[in-house]
Amino acid sequence: MAYDVVIVGGGPAGLNAALYLGRGRKAVLLCDAGTPRNAAATHMHGFGSRDGIPPPEFRRISREQLQRYPNVEVRDTRVGSVEPHDGGFRVALGDGTTVDARRLLLAVGMVDVLPDIPGYRELWGTSVFQCPYCHGWEVQDQPFGVLATEPLFLDFAAVVQGWSRDVTVFTHGTFPVPPEQRERLHHLGIGLDERRIRALHGKDGHLEAVELEDGARVPRRVLFSAPPQRQPELVTKLGLALDEQGFVKVNAMGETSVSGISAAGDMTTRLQGALMSASAGAVAGAMMNHGLLMEDADRRYTAATGKTPPAKQKPH
């Protein structure tokens, strides 16, 4: 079966792209493997009209609203491979079927590479957070920790002071702290501990203490951490150009370095969040629809006149 667009990923970016393309009367297949990055989070914040909604409920409502568009199909399946085919793409799905598409939109997020610290994975999304805008309000004025495994994250400790003045930075022994940064942290009232972390201790998803290599325990209720991220295997196989931080390079229209493939959401930027992903999905979807419409117009013009379409006018 042929589609105008196959969307890979059923999070906010993919869902909003499907909505825009559906309203543009395009035949769309949305493929959702069912492994969202925010699976551990109990609530989603910072999204106007949806602040505090559980992520599964957000996806349920979004899917329900897509049902009014019969040209949009949603399948709970993984995309195994993508190959160029007849000017578009042949997409192999996890259910053993293949479909053809004129365009491909990737909204697969990133893979978080969680550190090998006992207790970290168990507390991820409930007491160990990446984003203070997503979770800071609910834990304001509690004892915070910041896991800074690069000098860049030392400044992040000053940012999270906007939600709590009780902040301690843990470097986990990963780098020497420059003297000027050490002095700055001191004058900002931010604690600094350079010992390696042995474990995180908590109960029922709530952090209680950070245990250090010598057995000392520092009471903390929240730990902010930005673990390394990598692209999913599908993205690396497609050979898309990445920036120096490992995110997929896209232009203002969401187009990647490979013609016909667009990308949106967390996989393209460090500015990650549901609302920003949904916005990027809307832009990418709208621009894909625009491109398909212009392509169809050129074909009709050539069929009617036998001429090559005139060059597209660029905005000043």
Side-chain angles (χ1 to χ4, degrees):
M1 185 175 181
Y3 295 90
D4 291 308
V5 180
V6 167
I7 300 173
V8 189
L15 289 164
N16 228 36
L19 180 60
Y20 268 66
L21 286 161
R23 291 183 61 79
R25 304 178 68 188
K26 294 297 174 286
V28 178
L29 173 62
L30 173 66
C31 299
D32 186 355
T35 53
R37 282 190 65 212
N38 62 356
T42 57
H43 297 89
M44 194 175 84
H45 293 281
F47 200 126
S49 81
R50 293 292 182 268
D51 189 48
I53 190 172
E57 181 69 2
F58 173 84
R59 291 190 291 274
R60 185 194 67 77
I61 294 172
S62 297
R63 282 187 173 206
E64 185 179 82
Q65 292 182 347
L66 287 176
Q67 291 176 6
R68 67 177 292 197
Y69 304 99
N71 47 316
V72 177
E73 179 184 353
V74 179
R75 294 194 201 179
D76 292 312
T77 185
R78 186 175 299 275
V79 169
S81 64
V82 176
E83 301 292 340
H85 175 73
D86 194 24
F89 303 94
R90 177 150 288 174
V91 183
L93 306 180
D95 58 12
T97 62
T98 59
V99 297
D100 294 339
R102 296 170 66 186
R103 299 284 193 275
L104 185 71
L105 174 58
L106 300 174
V108 294
M110 295 287 277
V111 178
D112 295 302
V113 184
L114 304 186
D116 188 22
I117 298 174
Y120 188 105
R121 185 175 297 273
E122 291 78 7
L123 296 167
W124 176 248
T126 56
S127 289
V128 179
F129 305 124
Q130 291 189 79
C131 174
Y133 293 97
C134 299
H135 302 286
W137 177 267
E138 286 67 34
V139 294
Q140 59 184 295
D141 296 326
Q142 296 186 37
F144 284 6
V146 173
L147 179 56
T149 54
E150 299 178 38
L152 173 67
F153 294 115
L154 293 175
D155 285 338
F156 185 63
V159 173
V160 301
Q161 277 191 312
W163 288 266
S164 174
R165 290 293 182 179
D166 185 354
V167 179
T168 296
V169 172
F170 300 93
T171 66
H172 194 36
T174 52
F175 64 92
V177 177
E180 61 276 12
Q181 286 283 56
R182 189 185 303 275
E183 181 185 20
R184 186 170 187 268
L185 292 173
H186 171 73
H187 286 289
L188 291 175
I190 297 172
L192 174 63
D193 202 306
E194 299 174 80
R195 290 171 288 183
R196 293 191 64 81
I197 297 174
R198 179 184 291 175
L200 302 181
H201 295 280
K203 184 178 181 181
D204 299 327
H206 299 289
L207 176 66
E208 294 178 344
V210 177
E211 182 182 356
L212 303 169
E213 58 188 343
D214 58 3
R217 294 193 180 192
V218 181
R220 296 290 94 180
R221 295 295 176 265
V222 174
L223 182 68
F224 283 98
S225 170
Q229 298 177 332
R230 63 173 175 82
Q231 293 288 346
E233 184 179 2
L234 176 64
V235 176
T236 58
K237 286 183 177 179
L238 289 171
L240 306 179
L242 307 179
D243 65 20
E244 61 279 1
Q245 292 182 299
F247 297 107
V248 173
K249 287 184 176 181
V250 293
N251 62 18
M253 297 183 291
E255 297 169 334
T256 72
S257 60
V258 176
S259 179
I261 300 181
S262 296
D266 293 355
M267 63 185 296
T268 68
T269 177
R270 176 65 73 178
L271 295 174
Q272 298 173 352
L275 181 59
M276 288 174 278
S277 292
S279 176
V283 171
M287 292 300 98
M288 292 184 96
N289 185 56
H290 178 85
L292 289 166
L293 289 171
M294 294 304 294
E295 184 178 285
D296 292 341
D298 286 346
R299 286 175 178 170
R300 294 198 309 273
Y301 174 82
T302 298
T305 67
K307 299 179 181 179
T308 300
K312 302 295 185 296
Q313 297 297 312
K314 295 183 178 180
H316 296 292

